[in-house]
Amino acid sequence: MTVEALWWRWVDRLEERGWGARAMLRPPAGDDVIAAAAEVVGGFPDELAALYRIADGQLETRYVRGPWTNLFPGHEFLSLAGARRAWQGWADIRATYAPADFDSMITVRGDDPVHRVYTRAPWWPLAEDGGGNHLMVDLDPPPGGTVGQVLVAGPDEDERRVLAPGIGVYLAALLDADLDPPDADQLADGVAWWDAPGLR
């Protein structure tokens, strides 16, 4: 199944729960905008580019009339502009600190094929949790990994783990996942902040 088909099935699943996912979507990104962002990391895998051709991330709360929700587990889907800002933030960390300052704290889950480092330039921030933690798309994995695999990195994330070998597989896993619903207080405030802990 294509990324586009999986994405719309996923959006429909959130809609069925009354979480207003379609209202969150930004318009699709143009190929020129995608290409300019991809140049920062040496190119995007086809699935990542395909996702941005569907929607350039999600709207921030101030731009949404009615309920607001996140589109990835515990994370907002970043626009290309937002992802570039986040990527630059990680680049600033790499420029300021020696790897030894952080890498010694990092572990890898089991035998997941991911670099045991705090940050790498070929990691593209797909989604953000509001605290600086990201779902990353790995564009240069170690042997055994897959270009485009989805992983986790951030100041609260000392364990590097691969969530899926690509965007399509990740969306398929979301479709099969048990979702933790928002609590009643959030819903009363017009926020549907849901989670799927095993997929973040």
Side-chain angles (χ1 to χ4, degrees), residues 26-44:
R26 291 171 52 88
D31 284 341
D32 56 337
V33 179
I34 295 171
E39 188 175 352
V40 173
V41 287
F44 284 167

Side-chain angles (χ1 to χ4, degrees), residues 74-188:
H75 290 67
E76 301 174 32
F77 178 19
L78 290 172
S79 67
L80 284 166
R84 287 185 72 164
R85 286 192 296 271
W87 184 91
Q88 186 59 55
W90 286 103
D92 291 345
I93 290 172
R94 290 191 297 274
T96 304
Y97 298 98
D101 294 336
F102 293 104
D103 290 354
S104 62
M105 302 181 299
I106 301 301
T107 62
V108 171
R109 180 180 65 182
D111 58 357
D112 282 12
V114 59
H115 289 282
R116 184 178 167 270
V117 295
Y118 185 70
T119 173
R120 295 190 79 230
W123 290 353
W124 180 258
L126 174 68
E128 187 173 58
D129 72 351
N133 303 297
H134 291 93
L135 301 180
M136 297 283 198
V137 177
D138 187 354
L139 306 176
D140 183 31
T146 304
V147 173
Q149 65 188 13
V150 181
L151 58 88
V152 178
D156 302 317
E157 298 286 357
D158 294 338
E159 181 187 69
R160 294 290 166 267
R161 55 194 182 276
V162 176
L163 303 177
I167 297 288
V169 175
Y170 186 63
L171 291 173
L174 286 174
L175 285 167
D176 289 336
D178 292 327
L179 306 184
D180 289 350
D183 62 38
D185 289 341
Q186 287 182 350
L187 289 172

